[in-house]
Amino acid sequence: MHFAFVSGNPALDLVATVESRRDQPRDLLATPADLEQWVMACDELPDQVPADPAALTFALQLREAIHRLALDLMQSRPYTPDSLDILNNAAAGPLPTLRLSDAGTHLSGDLRSALTHIARRAITLLADPHTCLKECGRPTCTRLYLDRSRGTRRTWCGMQACGNRVKAAAYRARKHTAP
């Protein structure tokens, strides 16, 4: 399975594991093995963490809580209390262990510590008054991303997939209507 990490924060990348609209979702984390692969693919998390159905359920609850809280922030409304509880409880867990060696840094821990790290990254993001969260401008993409561009004029979650598709479609439309 291919996961994209273009949101600018691993908590938003976790939210992006639901493709398309949430009323008709395509969930990339359908099994514990999918969650294990996602954690392994995320540079900020420990490798080789086993997941079971209960851990998957916890990760999905955290993902949806982060999604609701991000939407609350984007729409300038008070945070949803239930989502805050889920996020804050997840952030209270154990942290991964970070070790430095001649080869660089190595992160180790279990899945619970990985999700604690994600929850803390979400809190840091959501607590920052200067955070500029946006939803991708491609109609079929719902990825939320952190816009750090100059003037916060970024339109797409990433150029490789969404930006190129939108630009190619616009080019084809111009060519089609040209005399």
Side-chain angles (χ1 to χ4, degrees), residues 43-178:
D43 288 338
E44 286 193 33
L45 299 177
D47 293 340
Q48 305 296 327
V49 293
D52 58 22
L56 176 64
T57 299
F58 179 72
L60 298 181
Q61 288 172 345
L62 177 61
R63 177 187 69 190
E64 295 308 309
I66 294 168
H67 181 248
R68 284 188 297 273
L69 294 169
L71 292 178
D72 289 343
L73 177 65
M74 292 169 61
Q75 297 170 6
S76 300
R77 62 185 183 212
Y79 288 130
T80 309
D82 291 346
S83 297
L84 279 176
D85 288 343
I86 292 168
L87 180 63
N88 288 328
N89 288 335
L95 287 174
T97 302
L98 181 64
R99 297 195 188 281
L100 176 65
S101 71
D102 291 332
T105 59
H106 178 73
L107 207 57
S108 62
D110 60 6
L111 183 59
R112 178 74 172 123
S113 68
L115 294 174
T116 296
H117 179 74
I118 293 290
R120 289 180 178 213
R121 289 292 308 247
I123 288 172
T124 302
L125 177 75
L126 297 169
D128 183 352
H130 304 293
T131 294
C132 182
L133 290 180
K134 292 184 178 178
E135 186 175 47
C136 184
R138 189 173 134 230
T140 58
C141 181
T142 60
R143 181 182 300 271
L144 303 179
Y145 64 91
L146 182 58
D147 186 355
R148 293 185 183 125
S149 67
R150 183 180 219 155
T152 60
R153 291 184 284 193
R154 186 171 153 192
T155 306
W156 305 289
C157 62
M159 280 303 294
Q160 283 186 334
C162 293
N164 286 341
R165 287 180 186 172
V166 170
K167 287 183 174 196
Y171 174 77
R172 284 190 302 275
R174 284 193 308 272
K175 285 297 223 180
H176 181 69
T177 60

Side-chain angles (χ1 to χ4, degrees), residues 2 19 21 26-27 30 38 42 47 65 70 83 93 110 141 146 155:
H2 174 73
E19 290 185 333
R21 301 275 172 215
R26 178 176 173 257
D27 198 336
W38 184 84
C42 184
D47 293 340
S83 297
D110 60 6
C141 181
L146 182 58
T155 306

